[in-house]
Amino acid sequence: MTKPTTHRWYENSVFYQILVGVFNDTTGEGIGTLKGVEEKLDYLQWLGIDCIWLSPFYASPLRDDGYDIADYRAIHPDYGTMEDFDDLIEAIHARGMKLITDLALNHTSMDHRWFQESRKDPHGPYGDYYVWGDDPNRYPEIRIIFTDTESSNWSFDEVRGQYYFHRFYKEQPDLNYDSPAVHKEVLSLIDFWMDKGLDGFRLDAIPYLYERDGAGGESLPETLEFIEKLRAHVDEHYPDAFMIAEANQPPAETREYFGNGDRVHMVFNFPLMPRLYQAVATSQASPIIEIMPDLLHLPPGTQWGNFLRNHDELTLEMVSGPERELMYSAYLPDDSMRAHLG
């Protein structure tokens, strides 16, 4: 007799992303709240949603929709309180649903206490929490992601008298993962939220944790090793938890985030997503058919997270120039509709 296969909760789940601040206003201030999310749970359950994904709701100056986190352990006051979050997670679980949240671990807001201390005292306890240097031309291989707003991955800080590295906006300095103290901080904040009953989290911008001269700064071996460290920690302390990676990379590199089933459980299917739109634009299935061989034969216990849209909108980083122009023509006829490469 064949032993029945045990399925993890996320394997056939329908996920629903919520940007708290624009979802449901309960105060009349024109801003969504955590209470607003709780108020709509019956509706979301009726829709067939198994798991809610909350985009950042942490304390933040909101220069990048909350992905510039100023305090990982605090709720943005516009969205509610920690008690509101505790009530929300209890209400979600009471309905048999799950909750995951975003964690931006590559960078913080420049308003974060760690950065403020790092810029003031290079030799203090936070001195090496960020990537500092004297040469703004270092790492020339590393591409600029926000090409329409940033001309460099380095910005000069007058307080410290050095340049700091940032893959995204200059208000979002990159954490230095060569610092053991940063590793300890990250594991501690994972524990903080998981101990509140979270079912997992999305690893935002996870390919960019490390930088190396001559090797660039995407999907480096050190980054993958840290993900294994994070997975081992989660498996030990929260064995039912789930991790999904935002790794907008070419298919071969994207697959690296699965490892041998010892890295993340799921990766957003960025290789497939733009090709779905290309197929619709051309009325041809060939874009989908051509990518499918790159998506097969995953390690046990892992899978792709298939999606159509999220807060990244229709990102077109991983298609060729002609394919991008085709989809600009089909979906973005007005230049004002474009952001970065999407």
Side-chain angles (χ1 to χ4, degrees):
M1 181 177 179
T2 303
K3 185 177 180 180
T5 303
T6 301
H7 291 284
R8 300 287 296 272
W9 65 264
Y10 56 82
E11 291 183 359
N12 294 305
S13 290
V14 176
F15 291 75
Y16 187 98
Q17 182 187 17
I18 292 178
L19 284 73
V20 176
V22 295
F23 183 66
N24 185 29
D25 173 20
T26 58
T27 65
E29 299 294 326
I31 299 174
T33 63
L34 292 170
K35 284 295 185 187
V37 177
E38 184 178 353
E39 188 180 84
K40 293 294 185 179
L41 289 181
D42 288 340
Y43 164 71
L44 294 170
Q45 188 174 36
W46 173 81
L47 279 181
I49 305 305
D50 300 300
C51 181
I52 294 170
W53 155 27
L54 291 185
S55 291
F57 50 85
Y58 316 99
S60 167
L62 301 181
R63 299 186 183 102
D64 186 23
D65 297 322
Y67 286 89
D68 50 326
I69 299 172
D71 187 344
Y72 287 97
R73 292 176 171 84
I75 305 291
H76 193 290
D78 287 349
Y79 303 152
T81 65
M82 191 64 75
E83 290 73 21
D84 293 338
F85 179 84
D86 293 337
D87 290 344
L88 174 61
I89 199 166
E90 182 178 355
I92 287 173
H93 288 160
R95 289 166 172 79
M97 301 164 71
K98 305 289 187 180
L99 178 67
I100 67 171
T101 62
D102 250 313
L103 278 177
L105 302 178
N106 175 70
H107 49 263
T108 71
S109 166
M110 66 189 310
D111 293 2
H112 198 293
R113 179 176 62 89
W114 298 344
F115 186 72
Q116 293 303 314
E117 293 296 325
S118 186
R119 66 199 296 243
K120 287 189 299 185
D121 187 357
H123 304 292
Y126 299 96
D128 68 345
Y129 268 45
Y130 295 85
V131 181
W132 294 96
D134 298 316
D135 180 7
N137 297 310
R138 191 178 182 185
Y139 307 133
E141 307 88 357
I142 298 181
R143 65 189 175 101
I144 298 169
I145 293 177
F146 289 164
T147 54
D148 50 356
T149 56
E150 302 295 334
S151 59
S152 173
N153 285 322
W154 294 92
S155 290
F156 187 73
D157 180 68
E158 293 184 356
V159 174
R160 179 151 165 160
Q162 283 187 302
Y163 294 89
Y164 64 89
F165 185 82
H166 53 89
R167 287 307 302 268
F168 295 91
Y169 296 119
K170 61 180 177 294
E171 295 86 2
Q172 295 166 286
D174 273 33
L175 287 164
N176 175 24
Y177 275 81
D178 283 316
S179 167
V182 169
H183 286 215
K184 185 176 179 180
E185 294 276 15
V186 167
L187 294 179
S188 176
L189 69 92
I190 293 287
D191 290 344
F192 176 84
W193 289 105
M194 293 303 297
D195 287 343
K196 284 185 167 294
L198 272 186
D199 299 291
F201 43 91
R202 170 187 176 272
L203 298 172
D204 174 72
I206 201 66
Y208 313 126
L209 299 188
Y210 284 84
E211 308 81 27
R212 289 292 181 265
D213 292 305
E218 301 189 17
S219 304
L220 296 181
E222 294 90 339
T223 293
L224 300 173
E225 289 171 10
F226 178 78
I227 294 173
E228 289 181 15
K229 178 178 180 178
L230 183 57
R231 172 64 181 273
H233 179 85
V234 168
D235 282 352
E236 179 181 356
H237 299 283
Y238 313 101
D240 293 326
F242 158 82
M243 300 193 309
I244 182 169
E246 181 213 15
N248 191 357
Q249 305 281 290
E253 293 179 25
T254 304
R255 294 175 68 97
E256 290 294 319
Y257 291 86
F258 295 116
N260 294 315
D262 57 351
R263 292 173 185 165
V264 298
H265 304 86
M266 192 183 295
V267 180
F268 280 105
N269 201 342
F270 281 103
L272 174 64
M273 182 275 297
R275 287 159 179 81
L276 297 174
Y277 286 92
Q278 186 180 348
V280 172
T282 60
S283 299
Q284 299 289 330
S286 54
I288 299 172
I289 295 170
E290 290 166 1
I291 198 66
M292 290 306 293
D294 293 329
L295 306 178
L296 303 177
H297 312 301
L298 300 182
T302 67
Q303 66 189 69
W304 294 106
N306 296 318
F307 71 104
L308 294 177
R309 300 290 283 271
N310 59 31
H311 68 280
D312 284 322
E313 295 300 325
L314 177 54
T315 180
L316 300 175
E317 287 188 66
M318 293 301 149
V319 298
S320 68
E323 291 168 336
R324 188 177 300 122
E325 290 303 319
L326 167 70
M327 285 188 276
Y328 280 160
S329 174
Y331 301 113
L332 305 172
D334 189 324
D335 285 349
S336 66
M337 300 169 66
R338 304 182 190 185
H340 316 307
L341 291 179

